[in-house]
Amino acid sequence: MMSITSNVRRLAGSLLLAGLWITLGACSEEPDVTIGLITKQEVNPYWVTMREVAEATAKDNNVTLLTATGTSDVDVESQKRALKEMVAKGAKGILIAPTSSTELLPAIEAAREQGVIVIAVDTPVDPLDAVDAYFATDNEAAGRLVGQYARVKATQMGIEPKIAMLDLAPGISSGELRHAGFLDGFGISEDDPAIVAMADTEGDRKLGEARMAEILAGHPDVNVIYTVNEPAALGALEALKDANVDLSRTILVSIDGGCRAMKNAVRPGYIDATAMQFPENMAREGVRALATAIRAGENLSGNLDTGVRLITDDPAPGVKSNDVAYGVRNCWGN
Amino acid sequence: MAVVADDNSTSSEGFVARNLRIPFILLVLCFTAWGVAANLTDILVAVFRGIFNMSNFQSSLVQFAYYGAYFLLALPAGFINNRYGYKTGVLVGLGLAAAGGLMFLPASQFLVYEMFLLALFALAAGLSILETSANPFVIAMGKESTATQRLNLAQSFNPIGANIGVLMGAVFILPALTPEASKAIMSDPQLLASQEADLALVLKPYLGIALVLVAIWLLIFFRKFELPKPAAAIGEDIPSGNVAARLWKNRHYRFGVTAQFFNVAAQTCVWTFTILYAQDVVGVSPENAGWWLQASLIIFLFSRFLMTWLLGIIRPSLLLLIMAMFGVLCCVTAMFSLNTLGLIAVVSASASLSLMFPTIYGLALQGTGEDAKFGSAGLVMAILGGAIIPMVHAAVMDEVGPAMGYVVPGVCLALVGAYALFDLRNTRPAISDEVLPASEGGMS
């Protein structure tokens, strides 16, 4: 009986230890890899989110991450400098959100010549094969989603569409793709008479408000408003409120997925729907892809669509969407 | 199950009889274990919603399975104890709970939600038996004069377990789950792989709990010890007459059971949906959301001590009314302040909950005399509120948004307040030196 008891104690002890081991899990180590992330600026929470997720992913994957950022969306010099410094510090791969599609090409080429893998994130370079890979939102798909939504909602509400389009600026591919996507999704062409006004906002809230006010002055019957991003949408919303437009008979759509607009404009229904993009996927997948490729000694190529989801609490039949709770969980910024 | 140990039959020499010290420590581990399991389950609602891409209502079935099992097994557990003794009750409870924990293994292989619900049901059924057996078991482990102290000591490990449970979820499960944004770009095979990986995370702590329970089972099974026979267990010492009818006629008791139902409902709702509120309303990341639930439990724990002190100054029903109204205020704030303030309100609601179970228990049984032993069972079975009402909360969330779901615990707490008001307005003659059965059950 004594030996049985002692065996039972041993078995019980082993089970206790096994239980604790299973509960606590085990850790693993992999060789260290250094990579870099260069964003455009840190005023916009979009880029802050991208950096934070890259840092967290790097930590999870035992990667040393170097980070750098510029002072604005057009700060090319800071990015050129950061590219050189990161290569000098031994980065074997770099994620860059280019502030210029062409001006950074020599610096990128110099890095690649030294065996550094370069992935463009968010914004493409021209030509696209000047980088090893491109991870970004499918901007045309994002525009198409809000276009489809606006079309179904307009039909549902029984309104004759009078469309205002608040775009980004000429020559910026993301804005042009979103614009084209919206038209496609709405089922109209550029010269359709339903479009009563178009204006560039540079994605800026104040410009969005000013352009919308101007449009309303000439076309008070506008009832479908496309905005290229949420700051422009928030500006347009201010103008609509100032003009006492009946928001329940107006469809306002946008693209982005920032937390401020999600909580303050999409959740209360001022912005009817927004196409959410995922900067965290650009960062996470970018860091993982670089770490895997560098560790395997392989090159990297191709493009990755980092995803887009339509967010609304007022779904349109036949248009796939997620609710605002999903939007709040996955939005970027605060 | 209220039991008083026969003082003469215990080989007691102190706080715990010498030959029962190790079994006592093992039982304390059991008290910790069900605290771990119960509050780890609060986290599972959010976890399963993400893994299986379900509605809030579907994911709330986790609590239905858990508290439903607690409710259904309460009476059979009493039968096992009366018929076969506490040791058998504890062993059956441990065995069933361990089996439930081990059932997570096939469930995570088959990736079927219903199998997890079945595993949770078995786990909770075992814990229900274990708890019903362990409370009187602990009481019987020493002198009658130190029984309450002994039970309090053992029960104080339950909130420790509760905090460990949430901590395990916050540290080992929530931060390691596949990010929802990642799933937006996954192919079907990748989604399946992520589901498997996430369920493996859930499996680990439950497997760990199961192994610990098996170890305790072996140590208790192979340990020889004598226990006194229960002297006054329910069913053996039922007072004369129709107790149920007598209790039912007592409005303080009848409304007390109802208030306890809504109190348990409110507590389960508030804790179950704290993580979902943090994520869906405020946008807190999964890795941080668990810490807000942890804060709730810590507030609950410390508030208990504060309430104990306040109960010495303020009449219990008045304090119950004040705290119920505070809880309602917290819920209303959560409904309309869709930001960190709302989340703080959700967490603060735990302060109001902290005094409710024992206070309602005491108020409802006051003046019931011998009927209290039978009456306590009704109050324990009010745990059914924790199984049913969270589904209503979840359904409201699905229909009108995550914040508005807090109307449900708000109404529950208002009803508890109404009971307190009723008790205040319908005073009974004070009964001094009345000894109530120790409070039992999954909530405390």
Side-chain angles (χ1 to χ4, degrees), chain A residues 1 4 8-9 11-12 15-16 18-19 22-26 263 267 278 280-281 284-285 288 304-307 309 325-326 328-330, chain B residues 49 168 172 179-185 203-205 207-209 211-212 214-215 218-219 222-224 279-283 338-339 402:
Chain A
M1 188 63 204
I4 292 174
V8 166
R9 276 187 194 151
L11 176 60
L15 285 169
L16 275 169
I22 287 170
T23 306
L24 296 175
K263 291 173 185 173
R267 181 155 60 192
F278 298 94
E280 66 171 273
N281 283 347
R284 186 183 300 109
E285 298 306 320
R288 283 180 183 164
L304 177 73
D305 173 6
T306 51
R309 289 287 172 94
Y326 178 96
V328 171
R329 286 198 298 276
N330 294 288
Chain B
R49 186 186 71 168
M168 282 165 71
F172 297 119
E180 201 171 21
S182 276
K183 293 180 186 174
I185 55 171
L203 170 68
K204 270 188 183 179
L207 209 51
I209 290 169
L211 293 180
V212 169
V214 169
L218 287 169
L219 290 169
F222 284 100
R223 191 159 192 95
K224 292 278 178 203
Q279 291 185 293
D280 292 5
V281 178
V282 189
L338 311 183
N339 47 39

Side-chain angles (χ1 to χ4, degrees), chain A residues 220-294:
Chain A
D221 56 346
V222 161
N223 52 23
V224 176
I225 301 140
Y226 155 84
T227 56
V228 70
N229 66 3
E230 286 163 356
L234 293 172
L237 183 61
E238 287 302 314
L240 290 164
K241 283 180 178 173
D242 288 347
N244 291 319
V245 171
D246 180 2
L247 292 175
S248 67
R249 300 290 297 165
T250 307
I251 301 162
L252 174 60
V253 292
S254 193
I255 296 166
D256 248 350
C259 289
R260 185 172 297 173
M262 193 66 68
K263 291 173 185 173
N264 301 327
V266 183
R267 181 155 60 192
Y270 300 137
I271 295 177
D272 295 273
T274 189
M276 174 178 242
Q277 49 180 344
F278 298 94
E280 66 171 273
N281 283 347
M282 298 174 201
R284 186 183 300 109
E285 298 306 320
V287 170
R288 283 180 183 164
L290 284 176
T292 306
I294 293 165

Side-chain angles (χ1 to χ4, degrees), chain B residues 211-257:
Chain B
L211 293 180
V212 169
L213 293 175
V214 169
I216 298 171
W217 189 95
L218 287 169
L219 290 169
I220 291 180
F221 182 78
F222 284 100
R223 191 159 192 95
K224 292 278 178 203
F225 51 84
E226 291 294 322
L227 258 191
K229 279 191 173 179
I234 286 165
E236 293 173 1
D237 187 24
I238 292 175
S240 58
N242 190 339
V243 184
R246 205 158 47 232
L247 283 169
W248 192 247
K249 279 182 192 161
N250 180 342
R251 288 192 304 164
H252 286 271
Y253 175 77
R254 196 166 73 229
F255 295 162
V257 172

Side-chain angles (χ1 to χ4, degrees), chain A residues 200-228:
Chain A
D200 292 328
T201 64
E202 297 175 21
D204 178 76
R205 182 172 180 149
K206 284 187 175 167
L207 283 175
E209 184 177 353
R211 296 293 99 83
M212 190 71 235
E214 288 163 16
I215 291 169
L216 285 171
H219 304 278
D221 56 346
V222 161
N223 52 23
V224 176
I225 301 140
Y226 155 84
T227 56
V228 70

Side-chain angles (χ1 to χ4, degrees), chain B residues 19-52:
Chain B
N19 62 324
L20 296 174
R21 280 177 189 163
I22 291 175
F24 179 74
I25 291 168
L26 294 174
L27 281 183
V28 164
L29 275 176
C30 292
F31 277 81
T32 313
W34 75 63
V36 171
N39 288 77
L40 192 55
T41 308
D42 290 339
I43 283 181
L44 280 193
V45 174
V47 170
F48 280 146
R49 186 186 71 168
I51 294 176
F52 290 106

Side-chain angles (χ1 to χ4, degrees), chain A residues 37-302:
Chain A
L37 169 71
I38 305 170
T39 54
K40 293 182 182 180
Q41 38 109 337
E42 289 237 336
V43 177
N44 188 336
Y46 182 91
W47 304 111
V48 178
T49 297
M50 192 180 281
R51 175 179 53 74
E52 287 173 348
V53 173
E55 285 168 347
T57 311
K59 194 177 167 193
D60 291 346
N61 289 272
N62 194 27
V63 165
T64 302
L65 182 74
L66 308 171
T67 60
T69 192
T71 54
S72 74
D73 280 5
V74 290
D75 183 358
V76 175
E77 289 309 312
S78 293
Q79 291 201 330
K80 280 183 183 171
R81 215 167 30 246
L83 273 165
K84 279 184 189 166
E85 284 172 9
M86 285 181 180
V87 173
K89 284 181 180 171
K92 299 294 178 200
I94 293 174
L95 298 163
I96 183 168
T99 45
S100 165
S101 299
T102 53
E103 288 178 53
L104 285 159
L105 294 185
I108 290 171
E109 195 180 340
R112 292 181 73 194
E113 278 172 0
Q114 294 194 46
V116 177
I117 304 171
V118 179
I119 300 178
V121 290
D122 180 74
T123 311
V125 290
D126 186 16
L128 201 53
D129 62 6
V131 289
D132 295 283
Y134 172 51
F135 289 8
T137 305
D138 181 341
N139 284 301
E140 194 166 357
R144 193 176 298 116
L145 267 178
V146 293
Q148 287 169 344
Y149 176 86
R151 161 57 80 187
V152 174
K153 276 287 156 190
T155 307
Q156 216 174 32
M157 291 161 71
I159 58 175
E160 186 189 341
K162 303 280 184 190
I163 303 170
M165 297 190 72
L166 297 181
D167 292 312
L168 196 58
I172 301 179
S173 62
S174 57
E176 288 172 350
L177 287 167
R178 290 177 187 187
H179 177 103
F182 175 83
L183 295 178
D184 185 37
F186 205 89
I188 54 176
S189 57
E190 191 79 37
D191 54 359
D192 194 289
I195 303 171
V196 296
M198 289 187 200
D200 292 328
T201 64
E202 297 175 21
D204 178 76
R205 182 172 180 149
K206 284 187 175 167
L207 283 175
E209 184 177 353
R211 296 293 99 83
M212 190 71 235
E214 288 163 16
I215 291 169
L216 285 171
H219 304 278
D221 56 346
V222 161
N223 52 23
V224 176
I225 301 140
Y226 155 84
T227 56
V228 70
N229 66 3
E230 286 163 356
L234 293 172
L237 183 61
E238 287 302 314
L240 290 164
K241 283 180 178 173
D242 288 347
N244 291 319
V245 171
D246 180 2
L247 292 175
S248 67
R249 300 290 297 165
T250 307
I251 301 162
L252 174 60
V253 292
S254 193
I255 296 166
D256 248 350
C259 289
R260 185 172 297 173
M262 193 66 68
K263 291 173 185 173
N264 301 327
V266 183
R267 181 155 60 192
Y270 300 137
I271 295 177
D272 295 273
T274 189
M276 174 178 242
Q277 49 180 344
F278 298 94
E280 66 171 273
N281 283 347
M282 298 174 201
R284 186 183 300 109
E285 298 306 320
V287 170
R288 283 180 183 164
L290 284 176
T292 306
I294 293 165
R295 285 191 175 118
E298 291 170 356
N299 212 335
L300 199 63
S301 62

Side-chain angles (χ1 to χ4, degrees), chain B residues 5-21:
Chain B
D6 180 352
D7 224 13
N8 299 327
S9 58
T10 312
S11 59
S12 54
E13 296 164 16
F15 189 65
V16 177
R18 183 170 289 170
N19 62 324
L20 296 174
R21 280 177 189 163

